[in-house]
Amino acid sequence: MLLAVIYGLIIFGNITLPENINYYSAKQISFDNIYFMNVNRETQVDFQNNQRVSPSEGELRLFGVIPVKNTKITPQQAKYVYVSGESFGIKLYTDGVMIVGTKDVDGKNGKSNPAKKAGLEKGDIIIEINNTKVYSSTEVEDILNDNNGMDYRIRVKRDGIYKTFTLTPEYSSSEGRYKAGVWVRDSTAGIGTITFYNPSNNTIAALGHPITDVDTNEIIPILNGEAVKATVTKLYKSTDGETGSLCCDFSDTVIGTLINNSQCGIYGKYTNAVEKKLMYEVAPVQEIEKGPAQILSTVDSGSPKLYTVEITRVSYREGKNDKNLVIKVTDEKLLKKTGGIVQGMSGSPIIQNGKLIGALTHVIVDDPQKGYGIFAEKMIEQSEKI
């Protein structure tokens, strides 16, 4: 039985432990006080000149004795950020024009779908029409509506690859004109929570998950965007099976410009002075543990407040960018006010043992007291690419 348990822990560790570890200053790296790695820091790192350091190989061992898996370890300087927890307004304009749907046209030979027939798909980003670049849905509408059935060469971006299609509009008997049968969108707006301000390069990080189009569920490519101050004016509580939400009024005060919409959140540059109150060290993933923690969030017209939560699961899988953590709200005041997690709280910083460990990303709809979170380490890495 003992051998079976040990073998099971080896298999479990090999599957669940990370492939890459950022190493700071501890002489020993540990996960769950079961898997250990002794670190011999032979490489002298020139952090002052910000020189990159190549990762080295290390071996995680069960109880510090039995080999489990080899992993890459990279020496890092400790990172410090100013956490926020403030609600903010998001205004985005797409890089190109997104196709959000296609529609049949009632032609002389019955219904047909010109866009689908041409090969266009929902989620495609229209870049050019007849070699003319387009940036807004109005431009696309004006070009496609001004025709007598002539063909259009439409260049789109799909899954990072550029493709060109020929679209032939169909004459609509009911409307008396030629139609392309395509719905497009060039902008979106919403609210979220700022996670932190990174003083090393004057960037903001928010949400912890990408902004996706409501119709296509595709990540919206940003041409430009603004982060503006917002005030919470109303709150709809979450209930089992139905997610609540924050409602906000946008102000005219621009906080920053939004640059990058990624799997790890939305990022940009601050344009206003930052009120530097709460600086926290960013925790390496190996220091995160199951148990008590706090989230910093704004759920009323006041300032951000700390609320108690519990980390119930930690996942190191590389592909689960915005679902590294499972948290459960335990704060009675927050539960009474919101019912748990509501839309608009995404990006709320998660604090444990005096360090920033992550950000809230999603609510679990069937049980809104629970939700997912992303590692802060992933967000800081993304912010430093801006």
Side-chain angles (χ1 to χ4, degrees):
M1 287 181 65
L2 179 60
L3 287 174
V5 170
I6 291 173
Y7 188 62
L9 288 172
I10 291 172
I11 294 174
F12 178 78
N14 198 50
I15 294 172
T16 62
L17 292 175
E19 302 292 334
N20 300 280
I21 300 173
N22 288 329
Y23 159 72
Y24 295 86
S25 59
K27 293 181 180 180
Q28 189 179 68
I29 295 171
S30 70
F31 292 87
D32 300 323
N33 291 317
I34 298 175
Y35 306 97
F36 297 89
M37 178 194 298
N38 290 322
V39 179
N40 180 17
R41 194 172 193 176
E42 297 176 350
T43 306
Q44 294 298 314
V45 184
D46 187 358
F47 287 124
Q48 283 189 330
N49 293 323
N50 201 27
Q51 292 183 0
R52 294 184 64 84
V53 180
S54 299
S56 58
E57 287 283 332
E59 188 174 58
L60 284 164
R61 293 171 174 262
L62 180 64
F63 308 124
V65 178
I66 305 171
V68 175
K69 74 182 299 183
N70 288 325
T71 187
K72 292 180 180 178
I73 57 172
T74 305
Q76 294 277 358
Q77 188 178 30
K79 309 290 176 63
Y80 293 87
V81 295
Y82 293 98
V83 300
S84 175
E86 292 183 43
S87 296
F88 77 114
I90 302 165
K91 299 178 181 179
L92 293 185
Y93 290 91
T94 60
D95 186 11
V97 181
M98 179 176 284
I99 296 176
V100 297
T102 59
K103 184 181 180 181
D104 288 343
V105 175
D106 188 13
K108 59 182 179 181
N109 296 318
K111 290 185 177 181
S112 66
N113 193 315
K116 188 178 289 186
K117 190 184 295 183
L120 297 173
E121 297 180 359
K122 186 166 73 171
D124 286 348
I125 307 296
I126 299 176
I127 306 298
E128 294 178 356
I129 301 178
N130 289 345
N131 297 319
T132 300
K133 289 187 178 296
V134 291
Y135 300 97
S136 71
S137 56
T138 302
E139 288 177 308
V140 173
E141 290 169 10
D142 288 344
I143 294 171
L144 295 182
N145 286 335
D146 184 22
N147 74 84
N148 292 308
M150 57 187 177
D151 290 347
Y152 289 100
R153 285 179 58 80
I154 299 181
R155 190 170 188 242
V156 304
K157 188 176 182 181
R158 179 187 298 169
D159 298 328
I161 299 172
Y162 291 94
K163 298 185 176 184
T164 301
F165 299 92
T166 299
L167 185 150
T168 304
E170 182 78 22
Y171 186 79
S172 171
S173 304
S174 59
E175 297 187 39
R177 59 185 177 134
Y178 285 91
K179 302 283 289 183
V182 62
W183 294 98
V184 294
R185 180 179 293 133
D186 63 5
S187 62
T188 191
I191 63 170
T193 299
I194 298 173
T195 308
F196 62 76
Y197 162 68
N198 185 354
S200 70
N201 62 351
N202 194 39
T203 55
I204 53 173
L207 297 187
H209 65 75
I211 298 175
T212 57
D213 184 82
V214 66
D215 292 305
T216 67
N217 205 34
E218 297 285 335
I219 296 178
I220 296 174
I222 297 178
L223 175 64
N224 57 63
E226 288 182 342
V228 300
K229 280 189 172 293
T231 303
V232 178
T233 56
K234 195 171 184 178
L235 185 149
Y236 295 95
K237 290 181 66 172
S238 285
T239 58
D240 291 353
E242 187 170 348
T243 305
S245 62
L246 299 175
C247 297
C248 289
D249 278 347
F250 288 13
S251 79
D252 294 327
T253 304
V254 177
I255 300 171
T257 56
L258 299 175
I259 297 170
N260 185 22
N261 182 24
S262 76
Q263 287 286 357
C264 298
I266 189 163
Y267 301 83
K269 289 283 187 179
Y270 255 128
T271 55
N272 280 353
V274 181
E275 190 175 357
K276 300 176 180 178
K277 281 187 176 180
L278 301 170
M279 177 172 267
Y280 283 83
E281 182 180 348
V282 176
V285 297
Q286 60 268 22
E287 289 187 12
I288 301 171
E289 57 191 16
K290 295 179 184 177
Q294 295 173 302
I295 59 170
L296 183 62
S297 195
T298 304
V299 294
D300 54 33
S301 58
S303 58
K305 296 180 178 64
L306 285 168
Y307 300 99
T308 58
V309 298
E310 182 182 359
I311 307 296
T312 61
R313 192 175 73 193
V314 182
S315 174
Y316 306 106
R317 291 181 185 176
E318 303 292 329
K320 300 182 73 171
N321 282 324
D322 52 8
K323 294 182 180 179
N324 304 129
L325 304 168
V326 176
I327 74 164
K328 180 179 180 181
V329 176
T330 57
D331 195 289
E332 291 298 328
K333 289 183 179 179
L334 185 60
L335 289 170
K336 185 176 180 180
K337 194 176 191 74
T338 65
I341 300 166
V342 299
Q343 292 180 20
M345 289 173 65
S346 294
S348 297
I350 307 173
I351 311 296
Q352 187 180 63
N353 297 326
K355 294 184 180 182
L356 176 67
I357 66 168
L360 185 66
T361 59
H362 298 82
V363 60
I364 297 176
V365 178
D366 292 336
D367 187 358
Q369 293 184 22
K370 296 180 181 179
Y372 295 106
I374 183 175
F375 291 142
E377 198 174 62
K378 288 188 176 182
M379 294 185 72
I380 193 75
E381 287 174 359
Q382 190 70 32
S383 78
E384 288 179 342
K385 296 176 182 177
I386 301 297

